[in-house]
Amino acid sequence: PVDASFILKINNYHRFSVNLRTQSRIWESIEPFTSVSKADSMLAFIDTLTNRSAAFNLLVTVNPVYISTHIGKNGGNEFFSCVNASNGFDKKELLGIVNGFVNKGIKIDRYEFEDVTISTFIDTYRSVEILSFTLYKGLIICSSSKSLIESSIHQIKNNSSLVVDKAFSAIFQTAGTKVDANIFINNKNLPLTFQQFIKEPYHDKINTLNDIAQWSELDISLKEEEVFLNGFTQALDTTNAYLKLLAHQQPVENKIASILPSETAFFVCLGIPNLDIYLDDYRLYLDKTDRILEYTSALSDYNKTVGFNVHDLYRNIFFEEIALVYASFDGIDSKDCWYIAMKNRGQSQ
């Protein structure tokens, strides 16, 4: 479905599953979280299918597996997965596999949607739907939400997909192939996706993430105690995205990382070799989002409070790099562990 928040493309499912579910200590530590647990259940289901069917095992060996997350009706995250079904794999084969799951505690309900049969595993003890699935147009589709499967069927019938999204198509071309997986991030959906994990007073702050850019892509390489992420974020020329502010800036060598303390948990660094152009582009960006008056008013009030022009101060001391840093120290409240690190024009400053 085109409203995906995250799309995970698993290039070699067997390697990915082993590296993530059996060897990654990071995955083990976050697995108790509800959203992560749902994702792990989806992977466990796929693992079981590969163990029970040589035909399905071949499917995930020669084809990439796609898993996506979507914002559910209650604000939680729902999961969706699909894989191409090769020639010779039919509905009877799939039903033969899944019927093996039926026991006293599990039953399968079926219903028709637009002439397509959708099956759902039901936990009979708790009367809870576990997972729904179908085989349609050469795709095995399963999800924690029946509505996502219905949406997918509807899209297939109407030839609608993310393939026609220029921003997604552009970022899809950047994906690496010799990695465990690729993750595609729909930046517009980030605020709603993470809202359930953030306290109410901070919801307005995270809403600013929705116009950073359209899509991002990260290549994922898994190690026992490490996860390596590397990729691209792209902002189309036709959009008013925050990252376009850097379109008129040249890349600079990152030197701030060399002076950050070892206690640093993470940092975000901007390379801005031409501050005046950046400030002009920033005003244009705010103007197009109807926030320029709020910005100029706040800037004027701040200049009066400190007694000088803040922009002039930065023009005098700032040189190419500035970073927001979070570094935790013993005895320091977490809210006081945020710092600004900036490269200045001379050592004397």
Side-chain angles (χ1 to χ4, degrees):
V2 295
D3 63 350
S5 300
F6 297 90
I7 300 173
L8 184 69
K9 177 176 177 279
I10 305 173
N11 304 301
N12 183 322
Y13 181 78
H14 298 295
R15 182 181 66 187
F16 177 83
S17 179
V18 170
N19 288 346
L20 184 71
R21 301 190 68 237
T22 65
Q23 296 184 2
S24 174
R25 294 185 180 179
I26 295 176
W27 184 258
E28 181 183 356
S29 66
I30 64 175
E31 198 272 334
F33 290 99
T34 301
S35 295
V36 179
S37 179
K38 283 185 177 181
D40 191 73
S41 296
M42 179 78 72
L43 294 171
F45 177 67
I46 296 174
D47 284 345
T48 303
L49 293 181
T50 62
N51 292 330
R52 294 190 177 188
S53 168
F56 187 84
N57 183 65
L58 179 62
L59 286 185
V60 298
T61 300
V62 300
N63 296 300
V65 175
Y66 291 86
I67 299 176
S68 58
T69 68
H70 304 257
I71 302 167
K73 294 180 181 179
N74 62 353
N77 291 315
E78 300 289 354
F79 291 85
F80 176 93
S81 180
C82 66
V83 62
N84 282 325
S86 56
N87 294 334
F89 192 92
D90 55 21
K91 290 183 179 179
K92 290 182 179 180
E93 178 82 24
L94 179 61
L95 291 176
I97 301 171
V98 299
N99 282 336
F101 289 92
V102 177
N103 54 46
K104 291 183 180 180
I106 302 292
K107 70 174 183 177
I108 298 178
D109 282 352
R110 296 180 175 88
Y111 73 100
E112 297 293 315
F113 174 78
E114 297 185 3
D115 298 324
V116 180
T117 301
I118 298 177
S119 304
T120 302
F121 288 111
I122 306 292
D123 183 332
T124 56
Y125 295 127
R126 299 181 297 158
S127 297
V128 174
E129 295 181 354
I130 303 173
L131 198 69
S132 298
F133 64 92
T134 190
L135 176 60
Y136 179 64
K137 294 290 186 180
L139 290 172
I140 297 176
I141 302 168
C142 63
S143 177
S144 57
S145 166
K146 289 187 292 189
S147 63
L148 285 178
I149 294 182
E150 293 173 0
S151 177
S152 178
I153 293 170
H154 188 71
Q155 284 182 203
I156 294 172
K157 289 188 174 184
N158 289 278
N159 295 317
S160 174
S161 73
L162 284 170
V163 174
V164 299
D165 184 324
K166 291 183 178 179
F168 179 79
S169 295
I171 205 67
F172 190 83
Q173 300 301 318
T174 69
T177 56
K178 296 181 180 181
V179 291
D180 288 309
N182 314 103
I183 186 166
F184 304 91
I185 303 167
N186 185 347
N187 293 291
K188 291 183 178 180
N189 281 358
L190 286 181
L192 288 175
T193 302
F194 292 115
Q195 199 171 75
Q196 60 179 311
F197 306 111
I198 297 173
K199 293 182 178 180
E200 182 68 34
Y202 302 101
H203 283 181
D204 289 343
K205 302 298 183 183
I206 197 173
N207 285 340
T208 59
L209 294 174
N210 65 2
D211 63 354
I212 289 180
Q214 287 74 49
W215 285 89
S216 301
E217 185 277 331
L218 294 172
D219 297 335
I220 303 175
S221 297
L222 300 171
K223 303 296 181 183
E224 183 177 350
E225 296 185 357
E226 299 169 326
V227 177
F228 294 97
L229 302 171
N230 180 58
F232 296 88
T233 296
Q234 197 165 45
L236 297 181
D237 292 337
T238 56
T239 61
N240 185 47
Y242 176 79
L243 283 187
K244 285 183 62 181
L245 271 64
L246 302 177
H248 298 134
Q249 305 293 326
Q250 296 298 315
V252 299
E253 182 182 357
N254 186 307
K255 295 184 178 180
I256 282 185
S258 65
I259 57 92
L260 297 180
S262 59
E263 292 84 358
T264 298
F266 68 87
F267 69 97
V268 179
C269 184
L270 291 179
I272 306 174
N274 193 315
L275 182 60
D276 286 328
I277 291 179
Y278 176 85
L279 292 174
D280 289 342
D281 287 344
Y282 184 58
R283 290 177 65 91
L284 182 61
Y285 158 78
L286 292 175
D287 188 33
K288 291 181 178 180
T289 56
D290 296 324
R291 289 182 285 172
I292 187 64
L293 292 180
E294 178 185 357
Y295 167 75
T296 54
S297 177
L299 181 62
S300 177
D301 290 343
Y302 190 77
N303 287 341
K304 291 178 181 178
T305 300
V306 298
F308 54 82
N309 187 297
V310 176
H311 283 178
D312 287 343
L313 172 65
Y314 273 92
R315 289 187 182 97
N316 288 328
I317 65 174
F318 174 79
F319 186 68
E320 295 189 342
E321 287 185 89
I322 188 169
L324 175 65
V325 183
Y326 181 84
S328 179
F329 297 95
D330 291 339
I332 305 296
D333 193 294
S334 60
K335 66 180 175 57
D336 296 322
C337 292
W338 295 89
Y339 308 90
I340 296 292
M342 182 176 65
K343 184 179 178 182
N344 60 38
R345 291 188 173 277
Q347 293 183 353
S348 61
Q349 295 177 317

